[in-house]
Amino acid sequence: MHLPAHGANTQHVYEALGMEAPDTVIDFSVNTNPLGTPASVQDCWQDWLPAVYDYPDPHFTELKQQIATKEKVEPASLLPGNGAAELITLIARFLQGKNVLIVQPAFSEYETACRAEDCHISYFQLEAPAFTVDKEALHKKLQAADAVFFCNPNNPTGIAFDQSIMNWLIETCVEVKTLLILDEAFYDFAHPPVTSIQKASNSPYLLVLRSLTKMYHIAGLRLGYLVGEPGLVEQIGKRQSHWALNGIALKAGVACLQEVEHVKDTTNFIANERDRVFRFLQRSDYIHSASGVNFYLLKDPAMASQENLYHFLLEEGLVLRHTYNFPGLEGEWLRAAVKKEAENNQLMEALVKWKREG
């Protein structure tokens, strides 16, 4: 099957499978905030219109200052980008030809970007269903790597590793002189969140990636940032095109970073709704990952491959994320986002129907 490599764009899924999409489709494959974009962003479009007339600030001054204040880091340690995907590409260019280890399962863009730069890719596999870290085995793999990508909270499992694991990983990478690229794109959905961002600004062996598109539901604006030791960030930033961020994105980023209540409301909602869905899955004989964020893996343990369940849900107008391009998962799980109550209810009703008719 030639399915899309990412979530969203549901029409491409149906086209790839030669299926006709139902009149109503709910997209569980995209894992942005189900509560939507903050009101402050929605209300400001008219005021921001003049930003499209002139070239944007190529140094991202106001946005960097807002991030620096919020995260208690120096502006010189920051590099905003056109979404985390652009920053991953810039890091891959910096790593051209190097030995890169990817802790899997993981966001597919790490490998795609690094292969385009002729990096030598190897994997360290987190084993299902617990997806825990075998420190001894990982330590051995790190010794042969110039850089390692690690996602916390993990995408696609949703599992959030605690601070002790992250401290061990950071210290180990310093010991073996391996650059750790720590992707925290979903850190602010976790409750409580775990971050290593302050450590990154002082270490030549640690970069932290953040995304604003997930929590603030602005995926179409493309906005993220990188934190690291200023000299290292400067080297990576030299590979970025001029005016990488548009004027509207710069203003939206500043506004979003001030939305404390929106984040609090979101994390509370996600925690309650995710727990409700998990209770249903457990009593309905489904297996799920121990996610602590706004998405999770699920599977019907009666089947090794979830292909038939995936197709069934598509017929019901429910698009989940396939896992065929996640090494170590290869279609044995499906990823679903935590949506609003009514939408989650429709997924649960469909899963009951599958058990009854399957």
Side-chain angles (χ1 to χ4, degrees), residues 114-284:
C114 288
R115 287 201 182 280
E117 299 299 331
D118 297 320
C119 295
H120 308 286
I121 307 296
S122 60
Y123 298 151
F124 177 82
Q125 199 70 51
L126 302 174
E127 297 293 337
F131 300 101
T132 53
V133 175
D134 182 332
K135 292 181 180 178
E136 183 178 353
L138 180 53
H139 187 278
K140 291 178 181 177
K141 296 282 284 188
L142 287 170
Q143 294 178 64
D146 297 305
V148 56
F149 283 87
F150 190 97
C151 191
N152 187 43
N154 178 266
N155 179 14
T157 70
I159 291 173
F161 298 94
D162 64 30
Q163 195 64 64
S164 65
I165 290 290
M166 300 320 302
N167 289 343
W168 172 85
L169 181 58
I170 292 166
E171 291 164 6
T172 300
C173 285
V174 171
E175 173 198 329
V176 300
K177 294 181 170 53
T178 297
L179 177 62
L180 169 60
I181 301 102
L182 180 55
D183 188 344
E184 293 185 350
F186 295 95
Y187 95 103
D188 46 0
F189 286 96
H191 189 64
V194 170
T195 179
S196 301
I197 202 166
Q198 282 79 32
K199 295 177 184 290
S201 62
N202 299 310
S203 174
Y205 295 105
L206 176 62
L207 293 170
V208 171
L209 276 167
R210 288 281 184 83
S211 171
L212 297 182
T213 63
K214 310 298 185 181
M215 172 57 73
Y216 303 107
H217 198 72
I218 53 170
L221 281 178
R222 313 303 309 132
L223 196 57
Y225 59 93
L226 177 69
V227 181
E229 187 274 325
L232 180 57
V233 167
E234 183 181 10
Q235 287 298 311
I236 294 169
K238 288 178 179 179
R239 293 156 172 83
Q240 188 176 46
S241 64
H242 212 54
W243 301 304
L245 296 180
N246 68 73
I248 299 293
L250 290 173
K251 289 186 175 295
V254 171
C256 285
L257 288 163
Q258 299 175 52
E259 285 284 349
V260 176
E261 289 304 313
H262 187 74
V263 173
K264 187 183 299 183
D265 291 345
T266 297
T267 54
N268 289 336
F269 172 83
I270 291 293
N272 291 330
E273 195 62 13
R274 183 185 62 238
D275 290 347
R276 185 176 75 91
V277 172
F278 282 4
R279 289 193 296 272
F280 160 80
L281 293 173
Q282 290 160 9
R283 67 174 180 264
S284 303

Side-chain angles (χ1 to χ4, degrees), residues 98-109:
K98 301 288 189 180
N99 296 318
V100 175
L101 176 66
I102 301 175
V103 178
Q104 296 280 10
F107 184 39
S108 62
E109 206 65 36

